[in-house]
Amino acid sequence: MLVVDMVLQGFISGEAYIVGEQPEDLAVLDEDVRGNAKCAEDELLTTLTQVVEAALPELFGADGENPVWCDNPGPRPGQQVADASPLEPLFTHRPANAARCAGSSSTAERAGLAL
């Protein structure tokens, strides 16, 4: 369901399906709704990344370490031991209204849709 939710958010935001960057190509025209959907999509990608990295430590390395297959295996220089706090999203671009989608519990709420 995580991936389905992420694809839906990409569709709503227009990031995944816009053709020719023309406004009429967007499925949803409201910028606030699209911004909230992009925020939700970014958060879902971060969650998916964390799940995959945790499930495959041999591929990605243990927390705070590079995997044995890379050029610099072992503890990362200057890396502090990670705490239990959530990781930041991979993408730094956030819509101006990104704070609005924080804490929403459903896809529709995060996207600003009333279903």
Side-chain angles (χ1 to χ4, degrees), residues 3 9 12-13 17 22 27 29 32 35-36 44 48 51 58 67 71-72 78 80 91 97 99 101-102 107:
V3 174
Q9 298 301 334
I12 293 169
S13 73
Y17 295 97
Q22 300 298 317
L29 298 179
D32 287 336
N36 287 339
L44 289 163
L48 182 61
V51 168
E58 296 83 21
D71 291 335
N72 185 20
Q80 295 179 350
F91 302 104
N97 63 346
C101 67
T107 299

Side-chain angles (χ1 to χ4, degrees), residues 5-113:
D5 193 4
M6 196 168 67
V7 171
L8 175 62
Q9 298 301 334
F11 179 78
I12 293 169
S13 73
E15 294 286 320
Y17 295 97
I18 190 167
V19 177
E21 298 193 31
Q22 300 298 317
E24 59 271 11
D25 294 332
L26 295 170
V28 177
L29 298 179
D30 185 295
E31 270 190 52
D32 287 336
V33 171
R34 288 190 0 253
N36 287 339
K38 180 59 182 157
C39 179
E41 181 184 17
D42 290 350
E43 290 171 3
L44 289 163
L45 180 58
T46 297
T47 299
L48 182 61
T49 300
Q50 292 169 342
V51 168
V52 170
E53 287 179 354
L56 302 169
E58 296 83 21
L59 182 59
F60 293 99
D63 196 20
E65 294 187 359
N66 292 326
V68 295
W69 58 263
C70 73
D71 291 335
N72 185 20
R76 294 181 189 129
Q79 180 75 25
Q80 295 179 350
V81 176
D83 60 16
S85 62
L87 297 177
E88 289 297 315
L90 296 175
F91 302 104
T92 57
H93 169 73
R94 305 290 272 185
N97 63 346
R100 184 189 310 171
C101 67
S104 294
S105 59
S106 73
T107 299
E109 285 175 322
R110 286 190 304 265
L113 298 175

